[in-house]
Amino acid sequence: MKAADVRALSADQLNEELAKLKKEQFNLRFQKATGQLEKTSRVNEVRKDIARVKTIARQKAAEAKA
């Protein structure tokens, strides 16, 4: 997910996206533990997407206060 795509989302949509990504991260960790994970690079992609969503959500919250 690109930063420009994330910036276009509203605060509610960011929260939904964050929840979806955290659920996917949990599932990927579970697959890794059971030896079923095929695309190991997806773990890092999801982790970075979570960080991107959190960063942009924090920026939007700071802009709303200012």
Side-chain angles (χ1 to χ4, degrees):
M1 177 173 277
K2 303 251 182 196
D5 298 336
V6 177
R7 288 188 203 287
L9 300 176
S10 70
D12 290 335
Q13 290 172 326
L14 285 172
N15 289 332
E16 290 175 13
E17 185 67 25
L18 183 61
K20 186 183 86 168
L21 287 168
K22 285 193 173 206
K23 188 172 187 177
E24 183 178 357
Q25 183 183 36
F26 174 80
N27 290 333
L28 289 171
R29 275 191 272 145
F30 195 85
Q31 287 176 7
K32 184 178 180 182
T34 59
Q36 298 175 345
L37 185 62
E38 294 180 11
K39 190 174 178 185
T40 57
S41 63
R42 185 67 185 145
V43 175
N44 285 335
E45 290 173 9
V46 170
R47 189 169 52 96
K48 289 179 180 180
D49 284 345
I50 288 172
R52 190 173 294 121
V53 168
K54 283 184 172 182
T55 300
I56 292 172
R58 187 173 41 81
Q59 287 174 348
K60 286 189 176 197
E63 287 175 4
K65 287 183 180 179

